[in-house]
Amino acid sequence: MQTTVVSAYLIAGVVCIVFFLLALLFSNKVNYEPDKSDVSKRKKIFWIFMSLSVVVGVLLNYFLELRNIRVPSKANDYMFHMGIAAAVFAVLYAGIGFLLSKISKGKKVETWF
């Protein structure tokens, strides 16, 4: 089976989307509190899921693809692109979260940033 670096980006992208949607779901489940403690809970949820998306994306890339590559130069190339994919999708996750929080006035997601 031929592994290409495109799979590194696909895996990282799918994981990023899944964790972003989970962050949306869990953030909307946090009830409003009179003392505004709900705001910090939603921010923590956002950043924890972002961190998890990076870690899970890298781990899935490692276990699903990188371990099966037998040519050292191809493995190094794939590992390089794993890191780039993780960084790119972490930035996209944060950027989309920022935009969504600025667009969603009056909604729970607004408190992410």
Side-chain angles (χ1 to χ4, degrees):
M1 182 170 117
Q2 182 78 15
T3 300
T4 65
V5 295
V6 173
S7 63
Y9 294 95
L10 290 174
I11 290 170
V14 168
V15 169
C16 178
I17 291 167
V18 167
F19 277 91
F20 190 83
L21 294 174
L22 285 172
L24 277 171
L25 177 72
F26 280 87
S27 292
N28 282 317
K29 294 281 183 194
V30 174
N31 292 326
Y32 289 109
E33 301 289 336
D35 63 351
K36 302 286 186 198
S37 63
D38 59 314
V39 172
S40 66
K41 288 178 188 175
R42 282 191 210 90
K43 286 182 183 188
K44 286 178 188 173
I45 287 170
F46 177 80
W47 292 109
I48 287 171
F49 276 101
M50 181 182 143
S51 301
L52 285 173
S53 76
V54 170
V55 171
V56 170
V58 168
L59 288 174
L60 281 176
N61 265 309
Y62 176 79
F63 286 111
L64 294 177
E65 299 292 336
L66 184 63
R67 285 186 2 177
N68 299 324
I69 301 173
R70 301 289 176 230
V71 179
S73 63
K74 299 261 187 210
N76 287 339
D77 192 37
Y78 191 85
M79 190 179 302
F80 175 74
H81 286 281
M82 271 174 40
I84 291 174
V88 164
F89 283 103
V91 169
L92 281 173
Y93 183 105
I96 292 169
F98 178 78
L99 288 173
L100 191 60
S101 72
K102 297 305 175 191
I103 293 170
S104 302
K105 296 295 178 193
K107 306 241 187 309
K108 292 180 179 181
V109 176
E110 176 187 21
T111 60
W112 278 353
F113 285 91

